Amino acid sequence: MLADTNLITGKKDIKVVLEQLENDGIIGISVDCVIFGFDENELKVLLIKSDLKKFEARWSLLGDLVNNHEDLDQAAYRVLKERTGMDDVYLEQVRAFGEVNRHPAARVVTIAYCSLINIHHHKLKILDNELHWHRLATLTEMAFDHKTILDVCHEWLQKRIQEHPLGFSLLPQKFSLRELQNLYEAILGVKLDRRNFRKKFFSMELLEDTHELESDVPHRPGKLYRFNYDKYQKKERKKWFGIDF
Amino acid sequence: MLADTNLITGKKDIKVVLEQLENDGIIGISVDCVIFGFDENELKVLLIKSDLKKFEARWSLLGDLVNNHEDLDQAAYRVLKERTGMDDVYLEQVRAFGEVNRHPAARVVTIAYCSLINIHHHKLKILDNELHWHRLATLTEMAFDHKTILDVCHEWLQKRIQEHPLGFSLLPQKFSLRELQNLYEAILGVKLDRRNFRKKFFSMELLEDTHELESDVPHRPGKLYRFNYDKYQKKERKKWFGIDF
DNA sequence: GCAAAAGTGTTGGAAATACACCCATGT
DNA sequence: ACATGGGTGTATTTCCAACACTTTTGC
């Protein structure tokens, strides 16, 4: 039967494993990472060309089967590390997708993860030339149920970013308020008032002035800020937000 | 190998299946239901005595392995139906738990579901006398990682109930505002102002006056209301709540 | 008539919104 | 000098929080 070895040594192996699973009537478990990036004021997602004939020419999320000896989170980190060369990345589970026929080769339940990385980070290396940062806006058909997963993760992100400081993972460590606002506008698909946006963030007192300025901009440079995670951690979280639905 | 049959014919079968999984180095998939009820102004959860010797005398969530031919949601519904006799129940996936050693018998990834049911519903039949509605407040040790799962689901519920109308599933169809407020206070662990609470709900215009009154109360009876789900469905959801963290 | 909870409005403060002008820089 | 976005304050409105008395029913 399935040996407890690393199954991730190439595309062919996965196919063989899936075939085996299907023959034995076993449910496989995978993780799929929705890796978001932010570039040119647009939200992007890291995709790979599907290797299944059925889905040729369609884009697919980055995923892999979960090894027997690794936690789900570890599996997701592994996928991320293998594909981007980065660790220390924002990564969070969103939810499981387990429709019976979501994968044509075998029954596979997948755990979807959402990851946010800075596209321009120096450690980021997209070696595989099958990989591609795709604009979210112009993405319709995808392999498997990956479009559904992507949509769910996007909605999850829209909600999450308003309540937790994760957007900063998409930006360089030092960023201008304009960049931050563009980010929020891109993710939420709304226009925000610049002055109120600044007021909001300054009133939180979680942005540190780096006393540096933007460079290479053809206009007055903006100040660069850094998000103070330590201070955020120490803040007490409120349990009561107010009923509203 | 594993035949594609219903594995759920008794406790012994599960043990056999798990043993088989472990021997073959295969990851099992289960669902676990956190079934909340509301009684005597307290939040309760439906539990069963663990059948594992390691966890004897500890409480366990209601769960089962997922069949090969059923969706995750279906599996959770099945567990719920088998144990409570009820369908048409509120049920939603919370998230997956997949730590390597969370189950002593084998590697099992579980998908946690949160369910809300009316403890006093006439269709509710707790046949198994190993089952028990346990007060949430006085629950410390549980089998497996079920305490963690329960805690996560409770927090999920605390957040969810403020943004979505699911609390009504814990109450009879017709309820008084006092009952509703008690429910919110019990789930959130806070005291709320009665007048502001009423104002809030009335201003949503989603409660219908049934023109009936409470009976058998030793004081002035309150009006009974019904939640108007249709009207709620038609309301447009807002995407922008305001940044706050 | 007494105990117990139902029902009801107002007010002050905080937060969100809408809105317009001057400033610093690169070209 | 001019084009471009950076930076700032105020008035208005909306929402939330605090708070007390009268009414209805069962006993």
PDB file of all heavy atoms in Angstrom, chain B residues 72-83:
ATOM      1  N   LEU B  72     -18.557  16.167   2.400  1.00  0.00           N
ATOM      2  CA  LEU B  72     -18.277  16.441   3.816  1.00  0.00           C
ATOM      3  C   LEU B  72     -19.548  16.898   4.529  1.00  0.00           C
ATOM      4  O   LEU B  72     -19.857  16.434   5.630  1.00  0.00           O
ATOM      5  CB  LEU B  72     -17.196  17.519   3.934  1.00  0.00           C
ATOM      6  CG  LEU B  72     -15.826  17.163   3.363  1.00  0.00           C
ATOM      7  CD1 LEU B  72     -14.904  18.374   3.439  1.00  0.00           C
ATOM      8  CD2 LEU B  72     -15.229  15.989   4.114  1.00  0.00           C
ATOM      9  N   ASP B  73     -20.267  17.800   3.894  1.00  0.00           N
ATOM     10  CA  ASP B  73     -21.501  18.308   4.499  1.00  0.00           C
ATOM     11  C   ASP B  73     -22.482  17.170   4.737  1.00  0.00           C
ATOM     12  O   ASP B  73     -23.136  17.105   5.780  1.00  0.00           O
ATOM     13  CB  ASP B  73     -22.156  19.350   3.591  1.00  0.00           C
ATOM     14  CG  ASP B  73     -21.324  20.625   3.504  1.00  0.00           C
ATOM     15  OD1 ASP B  73     -20.290  20.702   4.181  1.00  0.00           O
ATOM     16  OD2 ASP B  73     -21.720  21.523   2.753  1.00  0.00           O
ATOM     17  N   GLN B  74     -22.575  16.298   3.758  1.00  0.00           N
ATOM     18  CA  GLN B  74     -23.482  15.165   3.907  1.00  0.00           C
ATOM     19  C   GLN B  74     -23.089  14.298   5.091  1.00  0.00           C
ATOM     20  O   GLN B  74     -23.939  13.821   5.851  1.00  0.00           O
ATOM     21  CB  GLN B  74     -23.481  14.303   2.638  1.00  0.00           C
ATOM     22  CG  GLN B  74     -24.279  14.901   1.489  1.00  0.00           C
ATOM     23  CD  GLN B  74     -24.051  14.146   0.184  1.00  0.00           C
ATOM     24  OE1 GLN B  74     -23.482  13.060   0.175  1.00  0.00           O
ATOM     25  NE2 GLN B  74     -24.482  14.754  -0.916  1.00  0.00           N
ATOM     26  N   ALA B  75     -21.803  14.072   5.229  1.00  0.00           N
ATOM     27  CA  ALA B  75     -21.325  13.259   6.343  1.00  0.00           C
ATOM     28  C   ALA B  75     -21.724  13.894   7.672  1.00  0.00           C
ATOM     29  O   ALA B  75     -22.192  13.220   8.593  1.00  0.00           O
ATOM     30  CB  ALA B  75     -19.811  13.091   6.270  1.00  0.00           C
ATOM     31  N   ALA B  76     -21.561  15.204   7.755  1.00  0.00           N
ATOM     32  CA  ALA B  76     -21.913  15.892   8.997  1.00  0.00           C
ATOM     33  C   ALA B  76     -23.429  15.798   9.241  1.00  0.00           C
ATOM     34  O   ALA B  76     -23.868  15.554  10.365  1.00  0.00           O
ATOM     35  CB  ALA B  76     -21.474  17.349   8.933  1.00  0.00           C
ATOM     36  N   TYR B  77     -24.200  15.971   8.189  1.00  0.00           N
ATOM     37  CA  TYR B  77     -25.653  15.841   8.328  1.00  0.00           C
ATOM     38  C   TYR B  77     -26.040  14.443   8.785  1.00  0.00           C
ATOM     39  O   TYR B  77     -26.938  14.264   9.597  1.00  0.00           O
ATOM     40  CB  TYR B  77     -26.352  16.131   6.989  1.00  0.00           C
ATOM     41  CG  TYR B  77     -26.759  17.573   6.828  1.00  0.00           C
ATOM     42  CD1 TYR B  77     -26.188  18.362   5.841  1.00  0.00           C
ATOM     43  CD2 TYR B  77     -27.718  18.149   7.665  1.00  0.00           C
ATOM     44  CE1 TYR B  77     -26.541  19.687   5.684  1.00  0.00           C
ATOM     45  CE2 TYR B  77     -28.075  19.473   7.517  1.00  0.00           C
ATOM     46  CZ  TYR B  77     -27.493  20.250   6.526  1.00  0.00           C
ATOM     47  OH  TYR B  77     -27.845  21.553   6.387  1.00  0.00           O
ATOM     48  N   ARG B  78     -25.349  13.467   8.233  1.00  0.00           N
ATOM     49  CA  ARG B  78     -25.639  12.085   8.585  1.00  0.00           C
ATOM     50  C   ARG B  78     -25.408  11.856  10.081  1.00  0.00           C
ATOM     51  O   ARG B  78     -26.267  11.308  10.786  1.00  0.00           O
ATOM     52  CB  ARG B  78     -24.758  11.142   7.753  1.00  0.00           C
ATOM     53  CG  ARG B  78     -24.919   9.680   8.104  1.00  0.00           C
ATOM     54  CD  ARG B  78     -24.195   8.779   7.115  1.00  0.00           C
ATOM     55  NE  ARG B  78     -22.789   9.109   6.913  1.00  0.00           N
ATOM     56  CZ  ARG B  78     -21.823   8.819   7.783  1.00  0.00           C
ATOM     57  NH1 ARG B  78     -22.099   8.216   8.923  1.00  0.00           N
ATOM     58  NH2 ARG B  78     -20.572   9.156   7.516  1.00  0.00           N
ATOM     59  N   VAL B  79     -24.270  12.302  10.566  1.00  0.00           N
ATOM     60  CA  VAL B  79     -23.964  12.165  11.987  1.00  0.00           C
ATOM     61  C   VAL B  79     -25.069  12.809  12.821  1.00  0.00           C
ATOM     62  O   VAL B  79     -25.577  12.237  13.791  1.00  0.00           O
ATOM     63  CB  VAL B  79     -22.604  12.817  12.323  1.00  0.00           C
ATOM     64  CG1 VAL B  79     -22.413  12.953  13.828  1.00  0.00           C
ATOM     65  CG2 VAL B  79     -21.477  12.006  11.714  1.00  0.00           C
ATOM     66  N   LEU B  80     -25.443  13.982  12.408  1.00  0.00           N
ATOM     67  CA  LEU B  80     -26.446  14.747  13.131  1.00  0.00           C
ATOM     68  C   LEU B  80     -27.782  14.015  13.137  1.00  0.00           C
ATOM     69  O   LEU B  80     -28.447  13.885  14.170  1.00  0.00           O
ATOM     70  CB  LEU B  80     -26.612  16.091  12.424  1.00  0.00           C
ATOM     71  CG  LEU B  80     -26.978  17.275  13.275  1.00  0.00           C
ATOM     72  CD1 LEU B  80     -25.976  17.476  14.365  1.00  0.00           C
ATOM     73  CD2 LEU B  80     -27.061  18.506  12.383  1.00  0.00           C
ATOM     74  N   LYS B  81     -28.155  13.539  11.975  1.00  0.00           N
ATOM     75  CA  LYS B  81     -29.436  12.845  11.822  1.00  0.00           C
ATOM     76  C   LYS B  81     -29.450  11.557  12.647  1.00  0.00           C
ATOM     77  O   LYS B  81     -30.421  11.262  13.345  1.00  0.00           O
ATOM     78  CB  LYS B  81     -29.656  12.536  10.335  1.00  0.00           C
ATOM     79  CG  LYS B  81     -30.929  11.750  10.006  1.00  0.00           C
ATOM     80  CD  LYS B  81     -32.141  12.647   9.944  1.00  0.00           C
ATOM     81  CE  LYS B  81     -33.439  11.866   9.924  1.00  0.00           C
ATOM     82  NZ  LYS B  81     -34.095  11.869   8.629  1.00  0.00           N
ATOM     83  N   GLU B  82     -28.359  10.835  12.568  1.00  0.00           N
ATOM     84  CA  GLU B  82     -28.284   9.570  13.291  1.00  0.00           C
ATOM     85  C   GLU B  82     -28.396   9.765  14.796  1.00  0.00           C
ATOM     86  O   GLU B  82     -28.967   8.937  15.502  1.00  0.00           O
ATOM     87  CB  GLU B  82     -26.953   8.866  12.989  1.00  0.00           C
ATOM     88  CG  GLU B  82     -26.941   8.122  11.667  1.00  0.00           C
ATOM     89  CD  GLU B  82     -25.550   7.595  11.310  1.00  0.00           C
ATOM     90  OE1 GLU B  82     -24.621   7.752  12.142  1.00  0.00           O
ATOM     91  OE2 GLU B  82     -25.390   7.045  10.222  1.00  0.00           O
ATOM     92  N   ARG B  83     -27.842  10.862  15.263  1.00  0.00           N
ATOM     93  CA  ARG B  83     -27.774  11.045  16.710  1.00  0.00           C
ATOM     94  C   ARG B  83     -28.952  11.804  17.279  1.00  0.00           C
ATOM     95  O   ARG B  83     -29.267  11.660  18.458  1.00  0.00           O
ATOM     96  CB  ARG B  83     -26.495  11.801  17.074  1.00  0.00           C
ATOM     97  CG  ARG B  83     -25.232  11.068  16.712  1.00  0.00           C
ATOM     98  CD  ARG B  83     -25.163   9.734  17.405  1.00  0.00           C
ATOM     99  NE  ARG B  83     -23.799   9.212  17.390  1.00  0.00           N
ATOM    100  CZ  ARG B  83     -23.430   8.142  18.066  1.00  0.00           C
ATOM    101  NH1 ARG B  83     -24.295   7.472  18.794  1.00  0.00           N
ATOM    102  NH2 ARG B  83     -22.181   7.728  18.011  1.00  0.00           N
TER     103      ARG B  83
END
